[in-house]
Amino acid sequence: MICPLALSQVQKIDGYWGRYLDELSSKGILSQWDQIVSTGRLENFYRVARGESGTHEGLRFNDSDLYKWLEGAIYVQKLRPNPKIAEVIETSIKAIEVAQAEDGYLFTLVQLNKPNFKWRNLVNMHEMYCLGHLFEAAVALKQELNDDRLMAVSIKAFNHIASIYGPDKKPGFCGHPEIELALYRMTEATSDKRFAEFADWMIDIRGHRPSPFEAEIEDPETKDYFRAANNLILKDGKYDGKYAQDDKPIREQTVIVGHSVRAAYLYAAAALSAARRNDKELLGAIETIWNNLTERRMYITGGIGSTGDNEGFTDDYDLPNLNAYAETCAGIALAMWGRRMFEATGQSDYLDVAERVTLNGVLSGVSQDTTLYYYDNPLESRKTHGRAPWFLCACCPPNVARFVGSIVQYNLWESDATVYIGSPIDGEFRLSCGLTLKMETKYPLDGVVKISFTGKSSRPVKLSIRIPEWSDEVNVDFPESSEGAEYEGGFMVFNHHWTSSTTLTIDFEMNPKMHKAHPHVIDNVGRLAVSYGPTIYCSESLELESAPQLKVFDLAEELRETGQKAIDGSPVFQASALLEPVSPYTELYREFSDEDPMAGTINFIPYRTWNAKGPSFMQVWLRHN
Ligand SMILES: [Zn+2]
């Protein structure tokens, strides 16, 4: 079993991720809390507790924002304690406790406003989705802060669900997967297998016909209320199941379809299910879907979901830049899925994708100070896109907080005999063998990581370090050992008796590279994108006159470092470019005659840092000559 390190094993995190944790602790978590309070999300819980009815503030699934925020706040509080965060964590726990109904039910919209809709519309209502986020917050609270209060609320809610749905009761699963992942974590946190078995059942019954959703959609009492939601689900007036990955059983699915966050949450859970049941058929199916996604439907930034129409997938190679959806949550969900695939298979290529999306398609979704967010992450902008502190549908901001807060779990794992490093994190980590692993690194700003240990190991331990897909040259300095590394599953594996005097320095050499897309990605024909190590770059300008859209990459000269740093400390690169002359033209159209382009330059900064000064002209894929 490959298990991620618990946050309690983190002695400290500094460096690149440490700065994000500092910002979340001092600003991001509390600014999100202010939004949760000022938008009435918290008050909905108090209203339920006071026995009110007839009023509910915001969207029907707003409870999930409080739960998801709470999970993130707990991680950040664990790693960067702040008395103000402790206070609001306490406030939110109490609000949740008092809102739960006697029978275990908890969903403030139905409790306040739609009592006759209780468990009537799993496809649209999001009751289980919201409870899934509550369960994850409860796991975080129990595991990181030794507090069982929300686990008690969660078990009561689960018992309520299991009194209605189950193998010998009604079939039932949520239109928006999430509770499945949460249930596996509940089992992990409590050792009670009932939760995981229930999730296995939900994964297995999904996609069969008749779907329980078909009758729900036709329910005359709820039909009007869900008209807009049903329009997303129905294709030509009929239910085909694709939007919610309910078109066929997962074991028979081969192509990724529908809503991208739902899909990636579902398959992340299915990977856990396959691993715990040793179910090769299920794992094989998810691998096929994964390959369809990563070989034909994923942006170079790791972003997924090509259109806002269904917040999800369209066709193979349909990856428009300007209108890319690539929701921040979908990026996080993909990192979750990649992590679970690695845990199930031990193969590093899943972590290559997780790293790609983490450092590009997810971190682009949050400002450097962690107070502004993108919902969608297009790969081109014409001064039309800006980050915002919050959204009416605010799934992304708290998702970023819980993801960054638990970043160690996406990069460090242990099994009986091995410690795995996905991507280096500057910090110190207590291993279960008794050693403390220390990594000193600026990663991802450069590729050097110095590894050392303190303490004594109770048993021999292998150190497995992922060789990133982008890395051509790896330099290893291991003065204590004359033996080289072995290679396994995309990792270099060092088998050594680690002591306090051991140092191992690895340099994954980073060089700027240029990339082409498959010619069927029509938007990118004749264009190149730039990367440096794991970081995808873009070009940006606040003014139309110097917009990257007006420039053509001149391939006659190589990319060069400017010596300047981007706002996150990454190197800025420059290339020669040919510029579309703007002046002296004033006509909208003119007859073409030979015009000499002007020589100029084009600068590249990390895509994740764009829009630091407000809306701009931006492109990831640039025309070349
Ligand atoms: Zn979102």
Side-chain angles (χ1 to χ4, degrees), residues 125-425:
M125 189 59 104
H126 290 59
E127 286 150 301
M128 287 189 185
Y129 166 84
C130 287
L131 288 174
H133 279 303
L134 167 66
F135 297 174
E136 291 209 74
V139 169
L141 188 66
K142 180 180 172 64
Q143 289 182 330
E144 310 307 344
L145 302 181
N146 291 321
D147 184 330
D148 278 331
R149 282 178 292 171
L150 285 187
M151 188 54 79
V153 174
S154 297
I155 291 171
K156 192 172 168 185
F158 171 79
N159 288 340
H160 171 63
I161 293 172
S163 72
I164 300 164
Y165 301 102
D168 49 1
K169 300 187 181 77
K170 272 173 76 170
F173 47 90
C174 193
H176 196 314
E178 145 61 26
I179 194 170
E180 298 86 349
L181 262 174
L183 287 168
Y184 293 118
R185 296 189 62 198
M186 290 260 286
T187 288
E188 187 190 295
T190 63
S191 304
D192 185 340
K193 289 197 178 108
R194 281 187 314 147
F195 311 122
E197 284 164 4
F198 200 86
D200 289 339
W201 171 74
M202 286 200 285
I203 282 170
D204 288 345
I205 63 167
R206 196 179 195 97
H208 290 274
R209 289 294 176 271
S211 166
F213 297 161
E214 289 170 275
E216 290 178 357
I217 290 167
E218 292 307 320
D219 184 342
E221 268 194 66
T222 61
K223 210 171 178 174
D224 258 1
Y225 181 81
F226 290 116
R227 192 165 296 279
N230 283 338
N231 282 342
L232 287 170
I233 289 169
L234 299 175
K235 173 107 176 152
D236 302 326
K238 289 204 178 84
Y239 180 73
D240 68 358
K242 286 189 174 172
Y243 181 73
Q245 296 76 42
D246 182 40
D247 52 322
K248 47 180 104 157
I250 296 175
R251 291 161 202 278
E252 295 169 24
Q253 294 177 17
T254 54
V255 174
I256 194 147
V257 296
H259 187 281
S260 49
V261 180
R262 296 177 193 226
Y265 279 171
L266 177 66
Y267 302 129
L272 274 166
S273 183
R276 73 176 287 279
R277 291 191 281 177
N278 197 18
D279 187 333
K280 300 235 169 1
E281 181 195 44
L282 183 58
L283 187 62
I286 315 162
E287 283 171 339
T288 303
I289 301 165
W290 172 275
N291 292 340
N292 172 249
L293 171 65
T294 56
E295 292 166 12
R296 296 176 179 212
R297 298 187 176 204
M298 181 180 75
Y299 285 97
I300 194 169
T301 55
I304 58 171
S306 301
T307 174
D309 293 350
N310 64 348
E311 298 192 302
F313 301 103
T314 54
D315 297 310
D316 287 351
Y317 303 114
D318 178 34
L319 294 163
N321 294 315
L322 184 63
N323 299 318
Y325 201 62
E327 185 185 336
T328 304
C329 283
I332 291 168
L334 177 59
M336 287 179 178
W337 184 10
R339 162 190 160 184
R340 299 305 185 179
M341 293 302 279
F342 162 68
E343 290 167 6
T345 64
Q347 296 299 309
S348 77
D349 45 356
Y350 296 110
L351 298 180
D352 288 331
V353 173
E355 176 181 76
R356 177 185 292 272
V357 70
T358 297
L359 293 175
N360 302 293
V362 173
L363 285 188
S364 60
V366 55
S367 62
Q368 294 288 306
D369 72 352
T370 71
T371 63
L372 298 170
Y373 305 89
Y374 284 143
Y375 199 101
D376 48 334
N377 294 272
L379 282 76
E380 177 180 0
S381 176
R382 298 175 192 172
K383 220 163 178 169
T384 48
H385 204 60
R387 294 190 185 88
W390 198 248
F391 308 101
L392 176 68
C393 173
C395 49
C396 301
N399 221 358
V400 168
R402 71 178 184 136
F403 178 66
V404 171
S406 58
I407 196 67
V408 67
Q409 304 206 305
Y410 294 79
N411 289 293
L412 281 169
W413 294 264
E414 290 182 297
S415 67
D416 283 346
T418 307
V419 176
Y420 296 89
I421 299 175
S423 302
I425 294 180

Side-chain angles (χ1 to χ4, degrees), residues 13-32:
I13 292 180
D14 292 327
Y16 196 79
W17 289 106
R19 197 196 61 75
Y20 276 104
L21 293 170
D22 289 342
E23 296 288 349
L24 278 169
S25 177
S26 62
K27 300 189 193 91
I29 293 292
L30 294 167
S31 76
Q32 290 186 16

Side-chain angles (χ1 to χ4, degrees), residues 478-532:
F478 196 4
E480 221 178 73
S481 171
S482 54
E483 289 170 34
E486 290 170 20
Y487 296 89
E488 200 180 304
F491 287 83
M492 45 184 170
V493 184
F494 296 91
N495 206 344
H496 188 71
H497 188 72
W498 309 100
T499 67
S500 298
S501 62
T502 311
T503 58
L504 167 61
T505 304
I506 295 170
D507 181 2
F508 300 109
E509 218 177 277
M510 288 188 188
N511 293 298
K513 289 183 181 180
M514 294 186 283
H515 305 269
K516 292 279 284 181
H518 187 284
H520 288 171
V521 184
I522 302 280
D523 265 43
N524 296 345
V525 171
R527 292 172 188 273
L528 290 171
V530 170
S531 72
Y532 180 67

Side-chain angles (χ1 to χ4, degrees), residues 17 50 79 115 125 145 264 286 322 466 472 556-557 592:
W17 289 106
R50 290 197 296 265
L79 299 174
M125 189 59 104
L145 302 181
I286 315 162
L322 184 63
R466 180 182 66 106
D472 302 322
E557 285 180 56
F592 175 76

Side-chain angles (χ1 to χ4, degrees), residues 425-459:
I425 294 180
D426 190 277
E428 293 177 21
F429 310 93
R430 279 188 294 271
L431 306 175
S432 52
C433 62
L435 288 167
T436 294
L437 164 70
K438 183 175 180 185
M439 283 190 268
E440 293 167 81
T441 183
K442 291 184 188 148
Y443 197 92
L445 307 182
D446 69 32
V448 181
V449 52
K450 186 178 162 198
I451 295 169
S452 56
F453 295 88
T454 52
K456 262 196 171 154
S457 175
S458 54
R459 55 179 190 268

